[in-house]
Amino acid sequence: MVSKYRGVDLDAVTCLDVGHAWVETFYGRAQSGVLKGVVARVVVCDRCDSEKAEHLSWDGRVISRRYFSEPAYIENARALSDDVHDRKRALREARAERFKAAEKRRK
Ligand SMILES: [Zn+2]
């Protein structure tokens, strides 16, 4: 069942609230750019396909970080609200409503 709230497919923005499910797809030396040769990694979210690229120091510090989210993901998130905290709250509110409706059906 696809649950929608304010026209948004909530499964598509679940990562907003619970965080992304990152899976490493690349770990090695950066092949180009001003940080060429520095250790880099790319992780992709198993749920929403967002991507995160980082350059790392040998002692694990993050030198740079860039996110690449699916346009549909961003569009859905913004449809919930312009405010990031309100987006998460709207998602939880919709989930609570879904829960209440399911609970009512069981009675
Ligand atoms: Zn995600």
Side-chain angles (χ1 to χ4, degrees):
M1 185 191 87
V2 177
S3 58
K4 292 210 175 217
Y5 186 73
R6 295 183 197 172
V8 173
D9 174 356
L10 296 176
D11 291 337
V13 287
T14 296
C15 297
L16 262 180
D17 188 31
V18 298
H20 293 287
W22 298 119
V23 175
E24 186 180 277
T25 58
F26 174 82
Y27 188 97
R29 291 184 185 270
Q31 301 299 303
S32 60
V34 291
L35 294 174
K36 185 177 177 179
V38 170
V39 171
R41 75 172 172 184
V42 175
V43 291
V44 174
C45 177
D46 224 7
R47 224 177 350 248
C48 73
D49 293 332
S50 287
E51 198 174 285
K52 180 168 66 173
E54 297 172 322
H55 290 95
L56 308 167
S57 70
W58 291 111
D59 63 353
R61 292 170 209 274
V62 178
I63 298 167
S64 78
R65 179 179 286 147
R66 286 181 70 191
Y67 288 91
F68 306 90
S69 289
E70 289 289 310
Y73 179 85
I74 294 171
E75 198 178 298
N76 273 330
R78 289 192 178 139
L80 284 173
S81 172
D82 286 334
D83 178 81
V84 68
H85 299 292
D86 199 39
R87 279 179 207 162
K88 292 180 182 179
R89 189 200 55 71
L91 193 66
R92 293 175 196 143
E93 180 185 37
R95 181 69 183 91
E97 283 173 12
R98 198 165 59 174
F99 173 72
K100 273 194 289 188
E103 217 174 31
K104 206 171 176 179
R105 278 196 304 273
R106 280 196 297 266
K107 282 178 185 169

